Amino acid sequence: MKKLILVRHAKSDWPEETEDFDRPLADKGLKDAMNMSRFMKSNDISIDYFVSSPAVRALNTCKIFNQAYQLTISTEDKLYNPSERNFESVIYDLDDSVSSVAFFSHNNGISNFANSISEDIFHFPTCGVAGFEIDCNSWSEFDGAKKKLLFFYEPGKI
């Protein structure tokens, strides 16, 4: 069994003359990311590896989560403005020694991808987190594997 956790970046700000890629987290986003990461860690949600979009708001969300988890972080350009296929491509590149991975990414791609692998239709709020159990031994088996939603957390409801 593998576990895939999808995390939408926390609430961001959009200061004047700032490119989309360079948008920082808003104060609310910083607080939500700290609360969500602590909630997940205190509820024994295990994660082996973090992969983040390199965009500032996603990577900073990932770094805040990493204060609780202390893991290796890698960035992947395919998780910035992603399509469903982008997520699958990143999954197929994962080493099979990783049993539980968290991806930090953006809407609409992250919502669309989550809905493509789950019958539970939902829209990710900022800093929303969905966890899926993937019935496979190798990430290369992802497409044909049975997928089950384990949890969906929203920052305002934890």
Side-chain angles (χ1 to χ4, degrees), residues 106-119:
H106 310 261
N107 255 353
N108 292 320
I110 200 165
S111 289
N112 292 342
F113 177 66
N115 287 318
S116 77
I117 64 172
S118 173
E119 294 174 7

Side-chain angles (χ1 to χ4, degrees), residues 21 52-55 75-82 86 90:
F21 187 89
S52 178
S53 155
T75 58
E76 175 52 68
D77 291 343
K78 294 174 188 171
L79 294 180
Y80 178 63
N81 287 333
N86 289 44
V90 177

Side-chain angles (χ1 to χ4, degrees), residues 38-46 153:
R38 288 178 187 149
F39 172 82
M40 290 178 61
K41 186 72 174 175
S42 68
N43 281 280
D44 297 322
I45 296 170
S46 64
Y153 300 130

Side-chain angles (χ1 to χ4, degrees), residues 38-105:
R38 288 178 187 149
F39 172 82
M40 290 178 61
K41 186 72 174 175
S42 68
N43 281 280
D44 297 322
I45 296 170
S46 64
I47 305 172
D48 300 330
Y49 188 55
F50 286 156
V51 183
S52 178
S53 155
V56 170
R57 61 194 181 276
L59 188 54
N60 284 346
T61 302
C62 180
K63 287 176 178 176
I64 291 168
F65 272 66
N66 205 33
Q67 291 173 7
Y69 281 90
Q70 302 294 307
L71 301 173
T72 300
I73 296 174
S74 68
T75 58
E76 175 52 68
D77 291 343
K78 294 174 188 171
L79 294 180
Y80 178 63
N81 287 333
S83 69
E84 292 167 33
R85 281 194 163 73
N86 289 44
F87 286 96
E88 291 172 359
S89 174
V90 177
I91 287 167
Y92 292 131
D93 286 343
L94 291 170
D95 189 282
D96 284 333
S97 66
V98 173
S99 60
S100 179
V101 64
F103 288 174
F104 294 78
S105 191

Side-chain angles (χ1 to χ4, degrees), residues 114-134:
N115 287 318
S116 77
I117 64 172
S118 173
E119 294 174 7
D120 303 274
I121 303 299
F122 46 79
H123 177 79
F124 272 77
T126 52
C127 211
V129 180
F132 299 90
E133 183 177 79
I134 315 300

